[in-house]
Amino acid sequence: MAQIEFSKAEKELIVRKVQMYFREELDQDIGQFDAEFLLDFFAEEVGAYFYNRGLRDAQAVIEAKVADINDALYEIEKPTEFIR
């Protein structure tokens, strides 16, 4: 897995959300540098868990769609004397 990187705009938005969380939930003000540091820490140390979960979720969706396609193909299959 490549390192998780965000665009400048994404990082600014996430940093604001981290700062807002600290302010509203923990009643603490956290500076931009500290919020960025925390974001980088989570991206490096925890990001792979979220990434892998996303991959598993995507794989489950794809598998369900492939099963639907297989069912649809089976429904339109013409009967023959050949046995699978």
Side-chain angles (χ1 to χ4, degrees), residues 17-60:
K17 288 183 175 282
V18 168
Q19 289 175 307
M20 186 172 26
Y21 177 83
F22 268 74
R23 188 171 40 258
E24 292 177 0
E25 300 297 326
L26 304 175
D27 199 25
Q28 294 181 4
D29 285 326
I30 182 172
Q32 181 176 345
F33 177 78
D34 289 335
E36 286 183 21
F37 186 77
L38 186 60
L39 174 61
D40 291 341
F41 168 79
F42 277 113
E44 185 176 316
E45 297 295 327
V46 184
Y49 294 96
F50 288 96
Y51 179 85
N52 291 343
R53 175 57 58 96
L55 288 178
R56 285 194 300 276
D57 290 348
Q59 185 178 20

Side-chain angles (χ1 to χ4, degrees), residues 5 20 48 50 53 63 75-76 80:
E5 295 182 21
M20 186 172 26
F50 288 96
R53 175 57 58 96
E63 288 173 355
E75 288 175 10
I76 63 172
T80 64

Side-chain angles (χ1 to χ4, degrees), residues 3 10 16 30 50 59 70 84:
Q3 182 177 357
E10 288 172 322
R16 283 196 305 269
I30 182 172
F50 288 96
Q59 185 178 20
N70 284 335
R84 293 195 234 186

